[in-house]
């Protein structure tokens, strides 16, 4: 098959004959790759199961992995979905057109081949003018996954699409480099609370701002990936990642540590076969190897060049890539998520704790609560987690209110009695987390610890102590649960725990 390449740009748009031809290909069941603000998509008629089958074939992607339907206006949505929940309406009003995909219950008009056999359908209204025009001209929703071969990074320019799909599809629309550079945020709105299935440019904080913090957006469990072979929504499943040919290793730690370690690591290899992935601002601190960046922090374009750089490493024949960690940026969920997939989970952790001890005064309220919440949110069970008290005169059962709050949130916790913190609880790779500054000082003094002891809030860059619910009513305990849960998710993220 010959693949025709046409052009779109933001000042002139399309040649009218080109647009007609592209729309015609879609309507007659063919495949057109087109730019969006996130990544390039491989589009086909969203009402046609035959066209969807061609998309799977061209990408080499398993056909039980659902596609996203791209629409140009609100009217197109009504045909595709069953119910539109109130929370979805709020999200749509704020973030469409834009880099957000919503998962709804599907209507009969959407073929099961498009949704990979699911009763739900993913829909997105792209903000890219060229994409919107194409959808309007075709007059049908366009089903499109990212326009890469399965297992490769998503394409962020036409060059990458050509590299993967030339000769396999009818047309490629060259719209230059995309603006965002990584895929849309996917939010499932079919349940009681919205669940982020894939982090993206629209962050959890932005979503909460729109729907209210109380609505409790479920934390990211990214179950959405190109090569997922089981039905999505199964948190914790193992998937094949999208990745470059080069072997990518993420180096985790604080900035100075990471820089030193990467400089040391790259020198084991010839300079032209080893790569470093950093930000535009930090590029010149490295003077060895092929140094590429993921975009600029200053212009809020971090991530724009992530996939392009991963592909460039392959083009340059780089065998090994060491990537920095991109914490502390508001898009860090999305960026680290993509990077960890590219790395296939290979990480050098410069702060490799094997054990976490939560400490509060009596080990009856806050510290056991932290222990059980953290146990419930970590999949990696090799990290030992426990809790201790600083003043445990005699062993007492953990406060029944704690057990009850945790039970309400389906967090398992067994009967447990309070225990005194001892020197034998702490060794070289133990992280001690206290609830208050006073407790931290006491641990430092009593156990001579000069590092690896933090207050919980300090660990995530906040001041003050966590609130002790002791003596309060049920609501007080519920509030504490929420506070601790949010803090611990943040700790998990920052420590790179899985
Ligand atoms: O930014 C984007 O979303 C880009 C552009 C082209 O719009 N598209 C994109 O498509 O990233 P794709 O196929 O590479 O990723 C879509 C993901 C799939 O991996 C799939 O697991 C998930 O969306 N998905 C689609 N329908 C779903 C559904 N009904 N329920 C849960 N997940 C779904
Ligand atoms: Mg994809």
């Amino acid at each position: 098959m010959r693949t025709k390449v046409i052009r779109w740009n933001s000042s002139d748009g399309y040649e009218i004959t080109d647009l007609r031809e592209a729309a015609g290909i879609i309507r007659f069941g063919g495949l057109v790759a087109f730019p969006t603000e996130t990544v390039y998509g491989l589009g086909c008629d969203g009402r046609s199961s035959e066209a969807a089958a061609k998309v799977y074939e061209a990408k080499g992607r398993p056909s039980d992995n659902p596609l996203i339907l791209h629409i140009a206006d609100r009217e197109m949505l009504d045909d595709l979905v069953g119910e539109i929940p109130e929370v979805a309406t709020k999200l749509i009003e704020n973030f469409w057109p834009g880099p957000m995909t919503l998962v709804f219950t599907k209507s009969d008009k959407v073929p099961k081949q498009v949704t990979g056999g699911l009763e739900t359908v993913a829909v997105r209204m792209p903000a890219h003018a060229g994409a919107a025009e194409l959808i309007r001209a075709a007059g049908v929703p366009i089903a499109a996954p990212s326009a890469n071969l399965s297992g490769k990074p998503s394409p962020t320019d036409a060059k990458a699409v050509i590299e993967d799909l030339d000769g396999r599809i009818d047309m490629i629309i060259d719209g230059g480099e995309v603006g965002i550079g990584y895929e849309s945020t996917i939010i499932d709105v079919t349940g009681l609370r919205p669940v982020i299935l894939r982090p993206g440019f629209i962050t959890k904080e932005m979503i909460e701002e729109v729907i209210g913090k109380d609505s409790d957006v479920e934390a990211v469990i990214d179950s959405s990936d190109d090569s997922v072979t089981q039905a999505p929504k199964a948190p914790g499943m193992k998937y094949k990642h999208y990745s470059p040919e080069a072997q990518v290793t993420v180096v985790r730690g604080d900035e100075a540590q990471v820089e030193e370690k990467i400089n040391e690591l790259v020198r084991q290899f010839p300079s032209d076969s080893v790569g470093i992935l950093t930000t535009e601002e930090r590029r010149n601190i490295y003077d060895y190897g092929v140094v590429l960046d993921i975009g600029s922090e200053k212009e809020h374009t971090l991530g724009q060049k992530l996939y392009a750089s991963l592909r460039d490493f392959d083009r340059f024949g780089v065998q090994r890539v060491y990537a920095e960690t991109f914490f502390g940026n508001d898009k860090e969920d999305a960026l680290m998520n993509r990077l960890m997939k590219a790395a296939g989970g290979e990480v050098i952790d410069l702060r490799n704790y094997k054990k976490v001890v939560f400490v509060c005064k009596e080990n009856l309220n806050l510290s056991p609560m932290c222990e059980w919440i953290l146990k419930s949110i970590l999949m990696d069970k090799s990290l030992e987690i426990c809790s201790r008290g600083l003043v445990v005169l005699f062993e007492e059962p953990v406060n029944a209110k704690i057990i009850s709050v945790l039970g309400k949130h389906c967090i398992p916790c067994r009967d447990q009695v309070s225990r005194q913190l001892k020197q034998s609880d702490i060794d070289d790779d133990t992280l001690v987390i206290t609830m208050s500054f006073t407790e931290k000082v006491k641990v430092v003094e009593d156990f001579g610890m000069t590092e690896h002891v933090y207050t919980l809030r300090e660990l995530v860059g906040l001041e003050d102590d966590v609130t002790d619910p002791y003596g309060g009513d049920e609501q007080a305990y519920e509030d504490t649960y929420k506070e601790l849960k949010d803090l611990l998710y943040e700790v998990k993220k920052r420590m790179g725990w899985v």
Side-chain angles (χ1 to χ4, degrees):
M1 179 189 298
R2 200 181 75 85
T3 303
K4 181 167 179 176
V5 179
I6 66 163
R7 263 162 240 292
W8 174 93
N9 68 57
S10 54
S11 41
D12 308 323
Y14 291 101
E15 287 281 356
I16 185 70
T17 48
D18 282 348
L19 179 61
R20 284 209 193 109
E21 189 180 349
I25 293 173
I26 296 284
R27 267 203 309 275
F28 289 101
L31 307 185
V32 177
F34 64 99
T36 81
E37 72 276 29
T38 56
V39 299
Y40 275 69
L42 175 57
C44 73
D45 183 347
R47 307 159 313 174
S48 158
S49 34
E50 292 80 30
K54 285 192 204 165
V55 166
Y56 292 119
E57 159 108 42
K59 276 187 62 108
R61 168 177 175 159
S63 62
D64 56 357
N65 195 358
L67 308 177
I68 295 174
L69 286 180
H70 295 68
I71 59 175
D73 51 50
R74 248 319 284 274
E75 284 65 54
M76 279 180 125
L77 181 65
D78 297 331
D79 249 12
L80 305 175
V81 303
E83 186 199 358
I84 302 178
E86 205 184 306
V87 60
T89 307
K90 279 195 199 161
L91 291 170
I92 289 170
E93 279 165 5
N94 283 275
F95 300 121
W96 270 3
M100 174 187 77
T101 298
L102 294 180
V103 174
F104 299 92
T105 50
K106 77 175 200 69
S107 76
D108 301 338
K109 297 208 172 120
V110 182
K112 282 221 164 174
Q113 281 80 356
V114 167
T115 66
L118 296 174
E119 285 306 324
T120 53
V121 60
V123 187
R124 175 160 110 79
M125 191 192 293
H128 192 284
E133 244 185 292
L134 175 68
I135 302 165
R136 249 181 248 116
V140 296
I142 295 187
S146 49
N148 51 284
L149 286 177
S150 194
K152 289 292 217 65
S154 295
T156 54
D157 56 25
K159 186 168 73 166
V161 182
I162 292 169
E163 194 172 79
D164 279 12
L165 298 177
D166 189 29
R168 303 170 74 96
I169 62 177
D170 299 286
M171 181 181 267
I172 294 170
I173 300 173
D174 182 350
E177 274 176 34
V178 300
I180 292 178
Y182 47 95
E183 307 84 344
S184 60
T185 308
I186 304 182
I187 310 164
D188 182 347
V189 290
T190 60
L192 288 175
R193 13 178 231 171
V195 180
I196 301 175
L197 298 180
R198 177 173 73 185
F201 188 85
I202 309 286
T203 61
K204 183 168 184 271
E205 289 69 34
M206 289 160 77
I207 297 166
E208 279 172 346
E209 197 159 306
V210 165
I211 63 176
K213 216 166 164 48
D214 294 340
S215 14
D216 204 6
V217 182
E218 205 161 301
V220 173
I221 48 167
D222 187 10
S223 60
S224 147
D225 184 76
D226 239 22
S227 5
V228 168
T229 47
Q230 311 158 42
K233 271 199 197 175
M237 70 175 134
K238 284 284 168 220
Y239 38 68
K240 264 177 59 207
H241 46 89
Y242 35 52
S243 59
E245 308 282 327
Q247 190 178 344
V248 180
T249 304
V250 174
V251 184
R252 204 156 47 195
D254 66 42
E255 242 175 54
Q257 267 181 329
V258 167
E259 179 187 330
E260 193 189 315
K261 187 73 187 176
I262 288 183
N263 266 320
E264 174 197 317
L265 286 164
V266 289
R267 282 177 167 75
Q268 312 170 83
F269 305 93
S271 186
D272 57 357
S273 78
V274 66
I276 298 172
L277 191 60
T278 177
T279 63
E280 199 177 301
E281 284 73 19
R282 289 169 55 81
R283 269 180 82 145
N284 57 11
I285 65 173
Y286 296 104
D287 56 7
Y288 190 91
V290 178
V291 187
L292 298 179
D293 69 84
I294 69 164
S296 160
E297 259 169 282
K298 285 203 197 81
E299 294 155 32
H300 303 286
T301 56
L302 213 58
Q304 194 181 26
K305 289 183 3 205
L306 170 64
Y307 288 142
S309 291
L310 289 176
R311 281 178 183 264
D312 278 342
F313 283 128
D314 285 347
R315 290 187 188 121
F316 296 145
V318 166
Q319 310 279 307
R320 260 198 160 278
V321 173
Y322 292 101
E324 295 184 338
T325 29
F326 304 101
F327 293 142
N329 179 278
D330 69 331
K331 307 294 183 229
E332 73 176 45
D333 270 346
L335 295 174
M336 288 311 295
N337 168 273
R338 306 308 193 276
L339 197 55
M340 291 303 279
K341 281 187 194 171
E346 212 186 277
V347 175
I348 293 176
D349 200 331
L350 301 173
R351 307 164 302 180
N352 201 358
Y353 294 117
K354 298 212 165 60
K355 179 175 174 185
V356 178
V357 186
F358 289 103
V359 173
C360 66
K361 193 166 162 216
E362 293 170 303
N363 193 215
L364 292 175
N365 290 287
L366 290 172
S367 64
M369 202 158 179
C370 287
E371 174 187 343
W372 288 103
I373 295 174
L374 188 64
K375 279 179 176 164
S376 78
I377 62 178
L378 292 193
M379 281 184 285
D380 175 5
K381 301 298 177 204
S382 68
L383 188 71
E384 189 189 335
I385 304 164
C386 66
S387 66
R388 296 287 185 266
L390 289 171
V391 194
V392 181
L393 300 179
F394 47 91
E395 293 181 351
E396 272 182 87
V398 163
N399 188 343
K401 284 184 180 160
I402 297 289
I403 312 252
S404 139
V405 170
L406 291 176
K408 264 206 315 228
H409 293 278
C410 302
I411 293 182
C413 60
R414 49 182 174 73
D415 284 341
Q416 173 167 306
V417 290
S418 56
R419 295 178 58 186
Q420 173 78 33
L421 179 68
K422 299 208 182 74
Q423 190 73 56
S424 57
D425 293 319
I426 305 167
D427 49 43
D428 286 349
D429 31 34
T430 305
L431 171 65
V432 177
I433 305 178
T434 68
M435 302 300 118
S436 73
F437 183 70
T438 323
E439 289 154 5
K440 175 180 164 177
V441 172
K442 185 128 175 64
V443 172
V444 171
E445 284 177 352
D446 290 3
F447 297 92
M449 287 186 84
T450 50
E451 45 181 5
H452 311 307
V453 49
Y454 301 90
T455 77
L456 178 55
R457 288 175 60 88
E458 173 188 29
L459 210 48
V460 301
L462 297 170
E463 291 176 9
D464 302 330
D465 301 338
V466 284
T467 341
D468 194 331
Y470 184 68
D473 59 8
E474 212 173 304
Q475 188 57 45
Y477 279 81
E478 178 62 29
D479 292 345
T480 301
Y481 163 77
K482 281 224 173 82
E483 181 186 354
L484 295 181
K485 184 195 72 171
D486 286 347
L487 289 167
L488 289 168
Y489 263 110
E490 189 62 32
V491 169
K492 172 185 172 208
K493 200 162 73 184
R494 291 192 179 218
M495 302 304 295
W497 291 332
V498 290

